[in-house]
Amino acid sequence: MFPQRIAVVGTGYVGLTTGACLASLGHDVTCADVDEAKVERLRHGRTDILEPGLADLLAGGLAAGRLRFLVDLAEAAGEAEAVFLCLPTPRGPAGAADLGVVESVVHELRRVVRPGAVLVCKSTVPVGTAARLTALVARDDVAVVSNPEFLREGTAVADFLGPDRIVVGADDPDAVERVAALYAGLGAPVVRTDARSAEMVKYAANCFLAMKLSYVNTLGELCERLGADLGAVTEGMGLDRRIGPGFLRPGPGWGGSCLPKDAAAMLRMATVADVDFGLLRAAVEANQRHRGRVVAKVRAAVGGRLAGVRIGVLGLAFKAGTSDLRDSPAIEVVRLLGLEGAEVVAHDPAVSPDLPGVVVVDDPYLVAKQAEAVVVLTEWPQFRAIDWALVAQAMTGRTVVDPRNHLDPEPLARAGLVWLGTGCGARGRAGCPAD
């Protein structure tokens, strides 16, 4: 049964990566999207998504004739043996995932997919969605399978082609095997389960990571108060195989298109199921508090008042390696600075958004001009290579706030700047409040 004719509905981060990677595995892939302008750009090998390796896969798939793009859903999916749903599920009322787009597409697909086709849901959807879509399809000859994605922006291609695991869930064992076979050759463990469990895996994983990030950010605050070094603490923790080193880096809070939305959806599911998920709720609350704590550090660094004070900001994307601003903690910190009257000048290597009350510049050194403080909010490697002596000359203040502990404090110290990180200790007490 290999290779297969596959349709991918939706060409966002997940859909385009899924389509291009499946084509690279030898499948015949047709991607469908309602955005005619985007489809036309993709047909010519152009994508607006900043994702290492994706442009090369796109070009290779087009050149080999294994990847094409259409607007017509019926034409794209009509002969496909597997139809992947890679559609947005934004946060809806009370935090629940909005399935409007998914259900609308499935309603249309049920009339056009061939007998024996498998609908593969890669979108992050609440537990029970596969059963809901099965009822909506209302065809005994079409199976619905949950196959959640675990792609990180900035490493999505590598994550798809070198996954930690592949999760496939359905009530039909034959449909599970058919979808699992599409990934033959990747060599990853395959978790075969029921649809509800597969749907829960994605939320369970993301919410655990969110809690881990909130934990380390709060731990950083505690280290500052007690004089411990967060870097040493997390190194000692990460060497424990039960914990591991991943997601133990501090920052201005967690964000992006997945974690906040998925945490809200998980809390909503828990509420409906009458389960008190206080641990996750506390992680969400801690995340919001930590963004405010970054602003408090900046405020204290400039004398206790932000009104009329110029603040330089390095980084706006929610993480390095992407141009994604969705639920970016950097954007929230900038917003909070503006609410207190700060004059914000910002730079990001990948994106120049139009932000109310913010001057966005194309040169990182311009953010330092007459700035009382500079804040590093995204961990772009370019920021580590900045000439901090030039920054010091341009600034009127002397403080660089680095909630991600991204910078090496030594070059800043040589330039006469004060580094304020998260946690303190062996690297100096600059990140701690005065005794």
Side-chain angles (χ1 to χ4, degrees), residues 91 210 213-215 217-218 221 251-256 259-261 263-264 267 280-296 327-333 335-336 339:
R91 188 185 311 192
L213 289 169
S214 283
Y215 179 84
N217 279 333
T218 304
E221 182 178 4
W254 41 270
L259 296 191
K261 175 177 71 72
L267 286 172
L280 179 57
R281 187 177 303 106
V284 173
E285 293 170 354
N287 190 49
Q288 287 301 118
R289 186 178 70 250
H290 190 68
R291 297 176 183 190
R293 185 169 168 266
V294 173
V295 174
D327 223 327
S328 170
I331 297 295
E332 176 64 8
V333 169
R335 187 186 72 85
L336 294 173
L339 285 177

Side-chain angles (χ1 to χ4, degrees), residues 8-21 31-35 38-39 41-42 46-51 54-55 58 67 69-70 84-89 101 122-123 149 151-154 156-157 160 257-258 323-324 326:
V8 175
V9 187
T11 59
Y13 275 95
V14 174
L16 186 56
T17 301
T18 296
C21 287
C31 297
D33 200 288
V34 295
D35 187 333
K38 180 195 284 190
V39 167
R41 290 195 300 272
L42 290 171
R46 300 194 303 271
T47 175
D48 300 327
I49 296 175
L50 178 62
E51 194 63 55
L54 183 57
L58 174 60
L67 184 61
F69 297 90
L70 297 173
F84 281 75
L85 305 176
C86 302
L87 300 162
T89 54
V101 174
K122 270 210 169 297
S123 300
E149 54 85 14
L151 307 180
R152 298 165 297 169
E153 290 186 35
V157 170
F160 191 102
S257 63
C258 292
S323 56
D324 198 346
R326 287 176 292 179

